[in-house]
């Protein structure tokens, strides 16, 4: 990080995704296929983040220096928080802003600054819904209430890892990180009680070392608690501990996306998904549901994220799971019929399709 960037810290300064910077007129350009309804903001401190997640470009002990950290430096330019708040208010007067998301990192100042930054945005544009994408370790129940009071209506939490073991290995003690699986769940459940059904979400990443079965069980569990799951795909970040780890094969990602959609929207019963002894999906029955139709709709493969005030997906995190020029892992727009043909090939549905019930 440059000396200038080191002194431009939160709460007075904030990083903003390139898509959002373009949307607000703070940077020139256009983002293909995105109407960028969500303005994603990220706290900035000289140390990046005090946590140590092995896949993250902000991690404390990442082998690359912050100076090399092109992901954050290039794609998340820094602006004064008040200017960003003003631009959000301006945009809201012209049309409407779908949502603002303020992401915390793990830092002693992060809670205090989240409250401050949320208030600034909320004061400038009181009708714009705000998500707080929190680092659970900075919070407790009382603090969740203060964040709500400041203007946030949704709490997002990076659980990222689908199982306790993978969490330990990528975010917790296994990588000298501060994160604790049980605390993440305790914060999610406290937020669920306070903010309401579907007003809390976990970010979940495919490809950190978890099995399909762990992901599927997580989706069922979260649905039961009315906590949303938003899916990301692991994409190795240069300069991180996991930089040489391969991504999940595309057919696996597609099957997980399809299973998640069927669980969340089509009432898929748990026994409809069968796994081999490695925990990989080997069979997917969907009684009474035409899986081909669901696939052709393209919807299971679209990016999911927090809604706008009218209930459409607002946050579609363009390039959250892939880089420009790479194949789409999730589509931040309705896939075209050509896109659906590609998806069908990738999915290789016949290999797992059930033959008992009509599908
Ligand atoms: S807490 Fe978040 S920002 Fe910090 S290292 Fe982990 S994933 Fe990265
Ligand atoms: S889905 Fe988007 S808006 Fe919601 S918490 Fe995650 S990054 Fe923020």
């Amino acid at each position: 990080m440059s000396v200038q960037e080191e002194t431009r810290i939160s709460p007075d300064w904030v990083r903003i995704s390139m898509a959002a910077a373009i949307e607000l007129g703070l940077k020139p350009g256009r983002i293909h296929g995105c109407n960028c309804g969500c303005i994603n903001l990220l706290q900035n401190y000289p140390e990046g983040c005090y946590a140590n997640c092995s896949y993250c470009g902000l991690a404390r002990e990442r082998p690359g220096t912050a100076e090399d950290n092109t992901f954050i430096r290039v794609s998340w330019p820094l602006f004064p928080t008040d200017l960003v708040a003003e631009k959000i208010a301006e945009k809201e007067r012209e049309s409407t802003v779908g949502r603002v998301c303020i992401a915390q990192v793990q830092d002693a100042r992060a809670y205090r600054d989240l409250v401050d930054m949320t208030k600034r945005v909320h004061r400038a544009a009181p009708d714009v819904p705000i998500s707080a994408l929190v680092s659970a370790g900075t919070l407790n129940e009382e603090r969740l209430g203060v964040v709500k009071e400041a203007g946030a209506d949704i709490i997002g939490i990076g659980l990222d890892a689908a199982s306790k073991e993978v969490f330990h290995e990528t975010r917790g003690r296994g990588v000298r990180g501060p994160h604790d699986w049980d605390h993440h769940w305790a914060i999610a459940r406290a937020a669920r009680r306070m903010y309401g059904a579907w007003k809390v979400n976990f970010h979940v990443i495919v490809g950190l070392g978890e099995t399909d079965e762990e992901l599927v069980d997580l989706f069922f569990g979260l649905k039961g608690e009315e906590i949303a799951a938003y899916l990301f795909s692991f994409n190795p970040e240069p300069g991180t501990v996991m930089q040489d780890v391969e991504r999940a094969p595309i057919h696996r990602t597609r099957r997980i996306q399809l299973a998640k959609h069927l669980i969340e929207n089509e009432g898929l019963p748990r026994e409809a998904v069968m796994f081999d002894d490695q925990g990989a999906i080997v069979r997917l029955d969907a009684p009474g549901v035409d899986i081909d139709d669901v696939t052709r709709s393209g919807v299971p493969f679209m990016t999911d994220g927090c809604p706008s005030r009218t209930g459409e997906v607002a946050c579609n995190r363009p390039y959250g799971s892939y880089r420009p020029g790479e194949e789409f892992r999730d589509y931040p727009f309705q896939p075209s019929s050509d896109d659906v043909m590609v998806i069908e090939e990738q999915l290789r549905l016949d290999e797992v399709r059930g033959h008992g019930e009509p599908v």
Side-chain angles (χ1 to χ4, degrees):
M1 204 179 283
S2 67
V3 174
Q4 200 181 42
E5 286 185 331
E6 282 200 12
T7 56
R8 294 181 167 180
I9 63 169
S10 296
D12 291 333
W13 290 79
V14 66
R15 290 193 180 274
I16 170 167
S17 70
M18 188 56 87
I22 292 168
E23 184 74 6
L24 293 182
L26 291 165
K27 286 272 179 190
R30 282 195 61 194
I31 300 279
H32 165 73
C34 168
N35 62 358
C36 306
C38 189
I39 307 297
N40 293 77
L41 313 180
L42 173 68
Q43 293 183 328
N44 185 58
Y45 302 106
E47 303 78 11
C49 178
Y50 273 104
N52 212 23
C53 308
S54 54
Y55 50 86
C56 178
L58 287 172
R60 166 170 48 93
E61 292 177 16
R62 64 195 176 278
T65 63
E67 195 57 35
D68 299 332
N69 192 340
T70 50
F71 168 70
I72 294 300
R73 295 194 64 225
V74 176
S75 354
W76 291 78
L78 260 172
F79 289 99
T81 306
D82 289 333
L83 173 64
V84 170
E86 204 178 289
K87 290 282 178 189
I88 291 168
E90 217 171 86
K91 185 93 200 155
E92 171 75 2
R93 283 193 293 274
E94 275 167 26
S95 49
T96 55
V97 175
R99 177 164 287 278
V100 171
C101 179
I102 306 175
Q104 274 190 309
V105 294
Q106 182 79 23
D107 188 283
R109 298 160 277 192
Y111 159 67
R112 184 199 67 195
D113 293 347
L114 171 67
V115 173
D116 182 328
M117 294 158 86
T118 305
K119 280 184 183 162
R120 292 192 204 197
V121 172
H122 190 57
R123 204 180 302 129
D127 294 332
V128 176
I130 301 175
S131 293
L133 175 54
V134 303
S135 190
T138 68
L139 295 179
N140 55 31
E141 202 156 340
E142 185 202 332
R143 289 180 170 193
L144 280 169
V146 178
V147 172
K148 189 164 191 268
E149 206 49 34
D153 72 326
I154 287 183
I155 293 289
I157 303 170
L159 182 68
D160 295 0
S163 73
K164 190 167 187 169
E165 194 190 335
V166 174
F167 190 98
H168 176 86
E169 292 302 316
T170 55
R171 317 198 67 199
R173 294 241 179 85
V175 284
R176 292 177 303 281
H179 290 311
D180 180 76
W181 170 266
D182 293 332
H183 184 67
H184 273 62
W185 279 92
I187 289 296
R189 288 176 173 141
R192 161 70 186 83
R193 287 192 295 276
M194 201 177 289
Y195 286 68
W198 310 115
K199 293 288 193 179
V200 179
N201 69 75
F202 269 148
H203 288 192
V204 181
I205 302 179
V206 178
L208 293 182
E210 75 294 327
T211 65
D212 295 355
E213 192 166 8
E214 287 166 338
L215 283 161
V216 164
D217 282 339
L218 180 66
F219 300 148
F220 276 110
L222 290 174
K223 187 185 178 195
E225 298 197 42
E226 297 175 307
I227 294 173
Y230 296 140
L231 208 56
F232 290 69
S233 297
F234 167 69
N235 199 7
E237 185 63 44
T240 62
V241 171
M242 287 181 73
Q243 65 176 356
D244 296 323
V245 174
E246 290 201 6
R247 313 183 68 182
I250 188 73
H251 72 271
R252 176 172 183 236
T253 304
R254 294 281 175 246
R255 288 173 191 179
I256 295 294
Q257 289 171 321
L258 179 62
K260 177 174 182 285
H261 179 89
L262 293 170
I263 293 165
E264 292 177 348
N265 302 288
E266 303 288 347
L268 190 78
R270 174 66 178 78
E271 59 278 10
V273 201
M274 271 161 267
F275 305 91
D276 65 14
D277 50 14
Q278 308 292 311
I281 295 175
V282 286
R283 192 168 151 147
L284 195 56
D285 280 318
V289 178
D290 187 332
I291 298 190
D292 289 307
D293 266 4
V294 173
T295 301
R296 274 193 295 269
S297 76
V299 175
F301 314 99
M302 289 173 67
T303 315
D304 48 14
C306 291
S308 69
R309 71 198 85 170
T310 52
E312 294 105 43
V313 175
C315 175
N316 56 17
R317 319 177 249 113
Y319 305 127
S321 298
Y322 48 87
R323 298 196 176 79
E326 288 179 349
E327 65 184 359
F328 287 101
R329 288 278 157 158
D330 47 76
Y331 289 77
F333 51 81
Q334 171 68 49
S336 67
S337 50
D338 285 353
D339 294 326
V340 168
M341 276 164 63
V342 173
I343 290 168
E344 284 175 323
E345 265 174 44
Q346 294 170 332
L347 184 61
R348 303 192 336 231
L349 189 58
D350 283 341
E351 292 175 11
V352 292
R353 187 195 296 275
H355 296 288
E357 297 283 337
V359 290

